[in-house]
Amino acid sequence: MIKKLFYLSIMWIWANLAYATVSATLNRSQINEGQSVELILSSSDKKTKAPDLSSLKENFELAGQATSQRTSIINGVLSSQYEIRINLIPLKVGTLTIPSLNWEGEMTKPVTLTVASASSAIKQENKEDGLFIEGSLSASEVYENSELIYTVRLYDRMGIVDGEILPPQLEGAEIQAIGNDRAYTDERNGQTYQVIEKQFVIFPKEAGTNLSVKPAAFRGFIFSPRTSGTDRSLLDPFGFPGDIIYRGLSSMQEEVFVRAEPLSLTVLPKPQELVGQWWLPARHLTMTEAFQPNRQEIQVGAPLTRTIRIEAKGVLGTQLPDITMTDGPNFKVYPEAPQKSNAYATSEGLIGIEERSFVIIPLTASSINLPPIALNWFNVTTGKQETTTLPSRQFQAFGTSNIVQPIETIEAPKPEISLSPYAEENAWLFFLGGLCIGLAGTFLLFFFLMRQKKHKKKHLPDLYPKR
């Protein structure tokens, strides 16, 4: 029994030593959904490496971190404390555990955090205080891979300092912000609100009924009075408009989080009776072309560039198919890479754009016939498949009827450098003259150096006079 107690005490001491120099604490143990919490990692020893935070990503979003060092002297003893402060945003509600973290071989103790749900009561309280958010869908029923517009409006009369609108979420969907944010005022129940409006486009990838769209939310900071009953006239003696001085002197930032109500959605599958393999749901589609040079007669071997442009409303540029052209019996086609992009207009919505150019080279003097190009797409407004077609085009190539051959590059022979007969006969004279000039230069240099040496010696002081 005594032996067991001894081993247990050793294990207890060892476990406490493992946590002796590093610790993990939270600046608060309970928060509401959407609010952030600060995790503080402390160490009495200086660490050269960052702690392993990968285990936090399952339940938290890491929103930034900062490091600091504190040095103190107590009773003549110098001590230092190293800290890393990590801003965490919970991804779930309920009781969340921050597990033990490894910081250069030392482990922290687990810490728990309680995250309360943003209930309807909290939303109603925010609405009465002057901050709430609303979301709406452009339709409650759409086809898979077709456009769905989500509009969110943030109503504020509390004074937002900073923050961000979090996008809606739908499992298996592609979501992105479109257009520019709008700011305006609106009246609600006799109160004037500042409104921020933002739009997102959603492309559901899977069919289903009563799908839940997780609504957009706002996370940020508002002005919150520090003291109650402050006379604003005393803080605003110069008559500045609004609450500028009051907010500047008697307010602080308060973290807030509001979420819109969830919405349901039905996503229809693509019809089975479609013709072709490409599923392209759009509200409208146009296809145009341009030629350069823009004339009916072209020279054999000269390039003719055909540029095709597709514009589809309610479609991403990446959804558009790649237009193709093939060689003909008397011409070659060299396609360029397609250029795909997106545009947005308030009245038109999202527009997917594709441009692709083809360089056509006539090989013989004959008629060039370009076949028509057809594109099948599904009109989500009418619920029917449509086909947009570019008509066939005809050009006349003139010039030689032979197939154009590539021009061969002929390398010119390198010239041979040779001496003239006069130079060959008198080469020894040039050599002898050069040798004489070199000897004369050497003699003059030697004479100049000797004269300089005598001149310096003449003016040197007599350091050792004769006795």
Side-chain angles (χ1 to χ4, degrees):
M1 183 65 182
I2 297 176
K3 194 174 183 180
K4 281 186 177 182
L5 290 174
F6 174 76
Y7 282 120
L8 287 174
S9 61
I10 292 296
M11 292 175 64
W12 181 84
I13 294 172
W14 177 258
N16 279 273
L17 286 174
Y19 296 109
T21 60
V22 296
S23 63
T25 57
L26 295 173
N27 64 335
R28 47 183 175 171
S29 60
Q30 293 184 350
I31 60 173
N32 293 325
E33 179 186 4
Q35 292 181 327
S36 62
V37 66
E38 192 173 58
L39 173 64
I40 305 169
L41 301 181
S42 301
S43 173
S44 57
D45 297 330
K46 186 175 182 179
K47 304 295 185 182
T48 59
K49 297 181 181 179
D52 184 8
L53 305 177
S54 57
S55 58
L56 297 175
K57 296 181 180 180
E58 181 180 356
N59 294 325
F60 299 92
E61 173 188 344
L62 278 63
Q65 64 184 48
T67 59
S68 63
Q69 177 184 352
R70 293 181 300 172
T71 303
S72 60
I73 301 176
I74 301 176
N75 297 328
V77 179
L78 178 67
S79 63
S80 297
Q81 190 74 13
Y82 301 90
E83 288 186 352
I84 297 181
R85 294 176 175 266
I86 306 158
N87 194 25
L88 301 178
I89 300 175
L91 302 176
K92 304 174 183 178
V93 297
T95 302
L96 305 180
T97 300
I98 296 176
S100 297
L101 301 177
N102 187 345
W103 195 1
E104 287 194 7
E106 296 183 89
M107 304 296 295
T108 64
K109 291 183 179 180
V111 185
T112 59
L113 173 69
T114 303
V115 182
S117 174
S119 62
S120 300
I122 296 176
K123 293 176 185 177
Q124 182 63 31
E125 180 183 350
N126 289 328
K127 192 168 184 179
E128 292 174 355
D129 288 342
L131 181 69
F132 63 96
I133 189 171
E134 293 180 347
S136 61
L137 293 172
S138 58
S140 59
E141 186 176 271
V142 294
Y143 286 93
E144 57 180 291
N145 286 323
S146 64
E147 175 195 61
L148 179 67
I149 302 296
Y150 185 100
T151 303
V152 56
R153 297 178 180 89
L154 177 65
Y155 291 81
D156 167 49
R157 61 181 181 88
M158 302 179 70
I160 293 176
V161 181
D162 192 14
E164 62 175 336
I165 295 179
L166 307 178
Q169 298 180 22
L170 178 62
E171 187 176 356
E174 184 175 352
I175 302 174
Q176 60 180 262
I178 56 174
N180 298 319
D181 296 354
R182 295 178 58 216
Y184 55 91
T185 59
D186 193 12
E187 296 287 336
R188 286 291 184 93
N189 300 323
Q191 299 289 342
T192 301
Y193 289 86
Q194 298 292 329
V195 183
I196 299 176
E197 182 178 298
K198 191 179 185 69
Q199 286 190 322
F200 299 88
V201 62
I202 304 176
F203 289 92
K205 300 297 182 182
E206 299 178 359
T209 58
N210 295 324
L211 300 178
S212 178
V213 179
K214 187 177 180 180
F218 172 77
R219 179 193 295 122
F221 297 89
I222 61 172
F223 286 108
S224 176
R226 285 179 182 162
T227 58
S228 59
T230 306
D231 188 354
R232 300 192 181 194
S233 62
L234 296 176
L235 297 172
D236 191 8
F238 302 102
F240 287 104
D243 301 331
I244 297 176
I245 294 183
Y246 177 76
R247 286 177 174 172
L249 298 179
S250 64
S251 64
M252 64 179 181
Q253 294 183 11
E254 177 184 347
E255 188 176 16
V256 293
F257 178 82
V258 288
R259 187 188 295 280
E261 296 291 338
L263 301 172
S264 61
L265 174 69
T266 298
V267 180
L268 303 174
K270 62 181 180 180
Q272 298 294 327
E273 63 274 10
L274 292 179
V275 177
Q277 298 180 349
W278 198 268
W279 167 241
L280 184 60
R283 289 183 280 106
H284 185 69
L285 187 141
T286 59
M287 186 164 52
T288 58
E289 62 181 350
F291 290 91
Q292 183 63 34
N294 188 17
R295 55 175 181 265
Q296 295 299 315
E297 294 184 350
I298 53 177
Q299 174 71 41
V300 172
L304 172 66
T305 303
R306 182 186 195 183
T307 302
I308 299 175
R309 180 183 176 92
I310 304 173
E311 293 187 6
K313 296 180 181 179
V315 171
L316 289 170
T318 53
Q319 291 180 267
L320 297 173
D322 294 342
I323 299 298
T324 59
M325 281 187 62
T326 57
D327 298 337
N330 53 358
F331 63 89
K332 291 281 292 182
V333 176
Y334 298 93
E336 297 181 0
Q339 304 296 320
K340 301 184 179 184
S341 59
N342 300 316
Y344 177 80
T346 305
S347 58
E348 301 292 338
L350 185 69
I351 303 174
I353 302 172
E354 178 188 345
E355 277 193 356
R356 191 173 196 185
S357 296
F358 302 87
V359 179
I360 304 167
I361 305 294
L363 302 179
T364 60
S366 58
S367 179
I368 304 295
N369 296 313
L370 303 180
I373 295 179
L375 177 60
N376 297 323
W377 60 283
F378 185 81
N379 192 326
V380 296
T381 304
T382 62
K384 297 179 181 180
Q385 188 176 37
E386 298 185 15
T387 302
T388 300
T389 306
L390 291 176
S392 60
R393 301 292 183 181
Q394 190 175 54
F395 298 86
Q396 183 62 42
F398 63 91
T400 176
S401 60
N402 296 326
I403 297 178
V404 179
Q405 297 292 338
I407 300 175
E408 296 182 0
T409 303
I410 301 176
E411 185 177 358
K414 296 181 180 179
E416 296 181 0
I417 302 174
S418 60
L419 297 173
S420 63
Y422 175 79
E424 290 179 356
E425 292 177 1
N426 298 279
W428 66 275
L429 293 176
F430 289 111
F431 174 77
L432 183 60
L435 181 62
C436 291
I437 292 173
L439 290 174
T442 304
F443 175 77
L444 291 174
L445 179 62
F446 177 78
F447 176 77
F448 176 77
L449 292 176
M450 292 298 295
R451 187 173 181 179
Q452 288 289 102
K453 185 175 181 182
K454 290 180 179 180
H455 180 73
K456 290 182 179 180
K457 185 175 181 181
K458 183 178 180 180
H459 292 88
L460 287 175
D462 194 358
L463 300 177
Y464 304 97
K466 296 180 179 181
R467 295 181 179 178

